[in-house]
Amino acid sequence: MLLPNQTMAPLLILLLFLCLGSLRPTASADEQFSFNGFTGANLILDGMATVTPNGLLQLSNATSQLKGHAFFPAPLQFHNGTAAMRSFSTAFVIGIIGAYEQLSSHGMAFVVSKTTNFTAALPGQFLGLVGSANNGNASNHLFAVEFDTILNSEFDDMSGNHVGIDVNGLHSVAADNAGYYDGATGAFRNMSLVDRKPMQVWVDFDGRTMQVNVTMAPLQVPRPNKPLLSTTVNLSSVIDGTAYVGFSSSSGILFCRHYVLGWSFRMDGAAPPLNVSSLPSMPVTFPKPRSRTLEIVLPIASALLVFAVAAAAFVLMRRRRMFAELKEDWETTYGPHRFSYKDLFHATDGFSDGRLLGIGGFGRVYRGSLPKSKSAEIAVKKVAHGSRQGMREFVAEVVTIGRLRHRNLVQLLGYCRRKGELLLVYDYMPNGSLDKHLYDQTKMVLSWGQRFRIIKGVASGMLYLHEDWEKVVLHRDIKASNVLLDADMNARLGDFGLARLYDHGTDPHTTHVVGTMGYLAPELGHTGKASKASDVFAFGAFMLEVACGRKPVVQDARDNHLVLVDWVLDQWRAGKVTAAVDPRLGGDFVEHEASLVLRLGLLCSHPLPAARPTTRQVAQYLDGDLKLPELSPTYQSFNMLALMQDQGFDPYVMSYPMTSITAGTMSQMSDLSGGR
Ligand SMILES: *[C@@H]1O[C@H](CO)[C@@H](O)[C@H](O)[C@H]1NC(C)=O
Ligand SMILES: *[C@@H]1O[C@H](CO)[C@@H](O)[C@H](O)[C@H]1NC(C)=O
Ligand SMILES: *[C@@H]1O[C@H](CO)[C@@H](O)[C@H](O)[C@H]1NC(C)=O
Ligand SMILES: *[C@@H]1O[C@H](CO)[C@@H](O)[C@H](O)[C@H]1NC(C)=O
Ligand SMILES: *[C@@H]1O[C@H](CO)[C@@H](O)[C@H](O)[C@H]1NC(C)=O
Ligand SMILES: *[C@@H]1O[C@H](CO)[C@@H](O)[C@H](O)[C@H]1NC(C)=O
Ligand SMILES: *[C@@H]1O[C@H](CO)[C@@H](O)[C@H](O)[C@H]1NC(C)=O
Ligand SMILES: *[C@@H]1O[C@H](CO)[C@@H](O)[C@H](O)[C@H]1NC(C)=O
């Protein structure tokens, strides 16, 4: 296909154009091409990459821990004659759809590479470009412009929303937050890579001055004059004669879809402009952004509130109906666990706002005192419960759980049932939930001694649920806000075993909120099946949270999502894991206890369930009855593992020896005693 000279190129383009029509890709030899949509395009694809029926080049397909590449099939001549580099220019339109609003897996890149064989490259933060051993190695002969949606401190990323120019590795030679300079005012406008909207990018390289410019803008915005990035990179030794051009993308633990909608390229001249109006459109496949739902729900909720107040006044006039309960014959056997609504109503001053302890994902919790035994302080949780289906089984479960007794569990005293509503009665915990003590600036900072006792208490409660009672009870929702503190600041696990109830409840989305993301074990998304190991995973996140005083996944002021486990891992790799301890303790903590808690937290956060310690081992490590094995050096190379995901990735991880997260890791962990 090589052309003898440049003059024939326009003719050939015209011919192709006439033959194939404007939507078909047009490619004039190896010097210039243009795809407005990729239907019928001849590309070298690998991994997750496919061309969708409507012509999108889809580089990643909502599978975790995989790579996807797409390259123009012919290598291009980047050097003419001896040393002189040729100039090139490319324009493309990309779009990223992540699992959550403003949160996606790692990102994608435009690539100029000596080879199309990326089998040795890693997914996740490596963007499918390099492996951990050859990152930055000059023998990679790789130039890339990355669109990186996650902050990785190991590559000195500036933010979780940046564009970078990469040479042979992931430490960008130049980077900036995604955005553009407004043509009229010259003001910088931020863009979000993960807002699910298409964006256009131009990359221009001048072979004489070695200057590379990267410019981007939302699809509707014309090309800005001032580039986002402009730097000089001597590519003459990086690009070795010929090279392939294309795209790379990778997923981590989270869902994501990376798309290219259109792409043009030209040697020795400006890339042909893309026809924006003929590009295929991006799908809208993931759930609507949560804030939109809230916007709709809030007005409805306030309207409902007004309505509820009016209804309440009406109901007040009919006391009889007010205390109406649902009671069926089969419940008589549960007599002692059944509370009357009237008693609960009076105990809580009619569920008055003054008695409101908090609003959880599934209902409001009120403080009450039972008249019969003046001292008995209770907490009453009101759960909306529409379905009658499964009610009998559920009540049986409540009663079963009511029989659990342990000093580190919040005692469930009983229940009451009304139409569409269920009330659960618990022991009252005067010191409230742990998360308030961790994050509320007005509260006294919990000392290390208190924290360590809380962690050991929760471990002991979890052990009772998993091993020491007659039946295995899975908690399913271990997190700081479910740990309550009694009058003596003893930790007590609340809300256990009832997750299934909530499946029938009103707010099934709660578990998908970013805040609880870090607690959900990777395999949960895959199998949906809770296990002791998934509780241990959540407990690992909990331990780190208590020791560091930071949420498992936080969003910083610049909108970056920081994953606590990754950060603790960084400290551990740097040789001082206790640097992660909550700074508010002012260094006042017991070094070996803190080190134990943090390393055990990492161990419990292992992506593979089989590699996590058992519940009993966790308790033994914490009690000092068992020596914690050193973390295996294989921990070096994984990242992002605390993030919740919707799909398992064990088989994929296993196929990448570099990440070394294999089932054998557990035994390696016990064998290895070197390292830190
Ligand atoms: C994603 O791509 C991988 C690799 O080609 C494939 O095995 C997997 O089935 C795809 N998943 C979906 C949901 O299409
Ligand atoms: C190389 O490119 C320059 C302009 O960039 C041109 O003047 C020169 O003739 C080219 N040399 C060859 C051998 O194609
Ligand atoms: C791709 O590279 C790997 C090693 O990185 C090698 O084992 C494999 O044979 C290569 N595949 C091809 C088709 O060249
Ligand atoms: C770079 O890669 C080459 C070939 O893969 C290898 O021989 C060399 O040791 C690597 N250099 C570094 C600094 O790792
Ligand atoms: C890069 O941008 C600067 C400023 O707009 C411009 O002067 C220069 O010619 C551009 N270089 C390339 C290679 O496009
Ligand atoms: C780029 O590097 C090569 C050697 O690798 C050198 O000969 C050339 O002069 C450099 N070009 C520029 C513009 O710095
Ligand atoms: C762009 O695409 C539209 C729709 O396919 C078509 O009508 C229009 O002629 C195209 N414009 C150019 C300049 O090719
Ligand atoms: C753009 O975003 C960055 C980082 O998120 C922030 O520092 C900067 O202030 C923002 N700029 C504008 C103009 O909003």
Side-chain angles (χ1 to χ4, degrees):
M1 292 249 286
L2 266 172
L3 282 175
N5 63 53
Q6 294 275 335
T7 53
M8 253 181 76
L11 188 65
L12 194 71
I13 298 168
L14 190 66
L15 272 173
L16 274 168
F17 194 82
L18 291 175
C19 294
L20 301 173
S22 65
L23 282 181
R24 285 304 182 86
T26 55
S28 81
D30 303 326
E31 306 292 295
Q32 166 177 340
F33 55 79
S34 170
F35 299 98
N36 289 295
F38 293 87
T39 307
N42 173 22
L43 297 174
I44 300 174
L45 301 177
D46 74 23
M48 295 182 280
T50 53
V51 173
T52 67
N54 73 333
L56 287 166
L57 172 55
Q58 178 180 281
L59 293 167
S60 53
N61 68 4
T63 311
S64 44
Q65 298 287 357
L66 283 184
K67 305 169 282 184
H69 298 97
F71 287 98
F72 187 73
L76 306 180
Q77 190 77 42
F78 280 85
H79 283 262
N80 94 347
T82 48
M85 274 297 286
R86 290 175 71 181
S87 301
F88 66 86
S89 161
T90 183
F92 47 90
V93 175
I94 57 174
I96 298 176
I97 299 185
Y100 303 93
E101 193 192 11
Q102 303 301 340
L103 187 55
S104 178
S105 260
H106 293 269
M108 57 189 291
F110 166 75
V111 184
V112 181
S113 164
K114 186 180 168 179
T115 167
T116 59
N117 180 354
F118 280 81
T119 39
L122 289 174
Q125 68 271 31
F126 292 96
L127 302 181
L129 292 174
V130 295
S132 58
N134 69 343
N135 182 27
N137 191 319
S139 67
N140 291 342
H141 296 291
L142 180 81
F143 167 80
V145 178
E146 62 168 42
F147 302 87
D148 193 337
T149 56
I150 303 242
L151 188 157
N152 285 101
S153 44
E154 62 183 302
F155 304 134
D156 303 317
D157 283 355
M158 64 177 303
S159 73
N161 185 50
H162 64 271
V163 180
I165 295 175
D166 296 348
V167 175
N168 292 327
L170 291 153
H171 290 272
S172 303
V173 297
D176 205 344
N177 288 312
Y180 65 101
Y181 294 92
D182 190 294
T185 64
F188 184 73
R189 305 237 182 273
N190 278 334
M191 285 171 68
S192 163
L193 295 174
V194 294
D195 68 0
R196 305 175 179 182
K197 299 199 182 83
M199 46 213 156
Q200 187 160 196
V201 180
W202 298 265
V203 177
D204 299 283
F205 175 75
D206 184 327
R208 197 176 40 81
T209 60
M210 297 285 176
Q211 185 179 44
V212 54
N213 287 352
V214 178
T215 314
M216 71 187 297
L219 189 54
Q220 324 74 29
V221 173
R223 178 176 180 155
N225 296 324
K226 183 175 172 188
L228 172 67
L229 298 174
S230 182
T231 188
T232 52
V233 185
N234 190 343
L235 287 184
S236 63
S237 55
V238 177
I239 301 176
D240 224 8
T242 63
Y244 293 88
V245 290
F247 297 91
S248 175
S249 109
S250 77
S251 57
I253 290 175
L254 288 171
F255 265 18
C256 63
R257 290 190 176 149
H258 296 125
Y259 293 103
V260 185
L261 286 65
W263 178 29
S264 70
F265 185 95
R266 184 170 170 196
M267 279 290 182
D268 303 321
L274 293 168
N275 184 352
V276 166
S277 59
S278 66
L279 297 177
S281 53
M282 294 216 300
V284 192
T285 47
F286 284 102
K288 287 211 176 68
R290 199 173 160 73
S291 62
R292 291 249 312 261
T293 340
L294 272 181
E295 275 162 29
I296 298 162
V297 167
L298 273 180
I300 295 176
S302 33
L304 280 180
L305 192 71
V306 171
F307 179 77
V309 168
F314 179 67
V315 165
L316 265 171
M317 287 183 277
R318 303 172 157 227
R319 284 187 66 82
R320 254 177 65 92
R321 270 179 69 188
M322 175 175 171
F323 297 126
E325 297 172 19
L326 279 185
K327 210 166 197 167
E328 288 170 58
D329 285 348
W330 52 264
E331 290 187 69
T332 49
T333 45
Y334 300 135
H337 293 283
R338 172 99 200 197
F339 282 76
S340 87
Y341 184 69
K342 196 170 173 179
D343 284 352
L344 297 180
F345 187 87
H346 288 309
T348 57
D349 291 344
F351 298 102
S352 71
D353 282 354
R355 293 286 193 138
L356 190 64
L357 288 172
I359 304 176
F362 297 100
R364 293 162 167 258
V365 186
Y366 297 86
R367 185 167 63 85
S369 32
L370 284 178
K372 280 172 208 151
S373 44
K374 279 269 178 286
S375 58
E377 294 271 291
I378 55 167
V380 183
K381 183 169 194 171
K382 280 180 130 184
V383 183
H385 195 282
S387 91
R388 276 172 55 87
Q389 206 188 357
M391 187 42 94
R392 190 168 183 159
E393 292 73 18
F394 169 67
V395 171
E397 207 168 319
V398 167
V399 172
T400 308
I401 284 165
R403 284 166 48 218
L404 288 161
R405 259 161 238 280
H406 188 272
R407 65 179 182 285
N408 295 112
L409 298 181
V410 179
Q411 183 70 42
L412 176 64
L413 300 170
Y415 74 101
C416 174
R417 203 152 72 82
R418 305 227 310 153
K419 194 157 183 251
E421 192 175 55
L422 192 75
L423 296 98
L424 298 171
V425 184
Y426 291 97
D427 264 345
Y428 172 63
M429 294 291 127
N431 277 314
S433 66
L434 174 61
D435 59 334
K436 301 230 168 56
H437 290 267
L438 288 176
Y439 303 116
D440 190 339
Q441 302 296 336
T442 63
K443 297 234 194 260
M444 276 256 293
V445 173
L446 288 173
S447 73
W448 175 257
Q450 285 172 320
R451 291 181 201 221
F452 194 50
R453 211 155 65 94
I454 286 167
I455 289 170
K456 293 211 300 197
V458 173
S460 157
M462 181 172 73
L463 181 63
Y464 176 76
L465 292 176
H466 284 183
E467 309 278 348
D468 291 347
W469 200 56
E470 58 201 59
K471 278 164 63 174
V472 173
V473 178
L474 298 178
H475 189 290
R476 297 159 190 260
D477 202 11
I478 294 174
K479 57 182 177 191
S481 56
N482 269 342
V483 170
L484 299 159
L485 300 172
D486 67 14
D488 305 320
M489 297 299 274
N490 288 312
R492 287 166 173 262
L493 256 175
D495 243 3
F496 42 89
L498 297 178
R500 244 176 302 162
L501 151 72
Y502 301 141
D503 294 344
H504 301 286
T506 47
D507 194 0
H509 301 298
T510 305
T511 50
H512 296 297
V513 176
V514 172
T516 62
M517 191 182 272
Y519 286 107
L520 295 183
E523 74 273 11
L524 275 178
H526 191 46
T527 62
K529 212 164 165 298
S531 63
K532 292 181 193 175
S534 61
D535 271 0
V536 167
F537 183 94
F539 181 69
F542 168 79
M543 274 192 284
L544 297 180
E545 177 171 12
V546 175
C548 306
R550 290 168 56 148
K551 299 217 165 82
V553 180
V554 290
Q555 204 164 354
D556 71 7
R558 294 183 306 162
D559 260 14
N560 300 313
H561 291 272
L562 306 174
V563 180
L564 180 56
V565 177
D566 289 347
W567 183 69
V568 175
L569 260 179
D570 283 346
Q571 312 299 320
W572 174 76
R573 286 182 194 128
K576 187 147 176 64
V577 73
T578 51
V581 171
D582 192 343
R584 277 172 299 166
L585 288 174
D588 187 9
F589 59 87
V590 183
E591 179 82 22
H592 74 268
E593 287 176 358
S595 162
L596 170 70
V597 165
L598 292 166
R599 286 180 300 132
L600 182 57
L602 292 177
L603 206 56
C604 292
S605 303
H606 200 289
L608 281 189
R612 295 172 208 148
T614 64
T615 317
R616 193 168 296 284
Q617 284 169 334
V618 168
Q620 287 170 331
Y621 292 141
L622 285 171
D623 288 338
D625 296 343
L626 207 64
K627 194 172 153 0
L628 185 71
E630 284 301 327
L631 294 182
S632 142
T634 56
Y635 258 83
Q636 294 282 3
S637 45
F638 72 78
N639 213 330
M640 283 291 292
L641 53 82
L643 273 183
M644 183 187 103
Q645 59 149 19
D646 299 38
Q647 211 165 342
F649 63 105
D650 340 7
Y652 309 118
V653 171
M654 285 186 181
S655 64
Y656 295 111
M658 290 309 302
T659 48
S660 296
I661 308 167
T662 64
T665 309
M666 188 57 194
S667 55
Q668 292 174 30
M669 281 176 181
S670 326
D671 295 346
L672 284 162
S673 49
R676 290 161 247 251

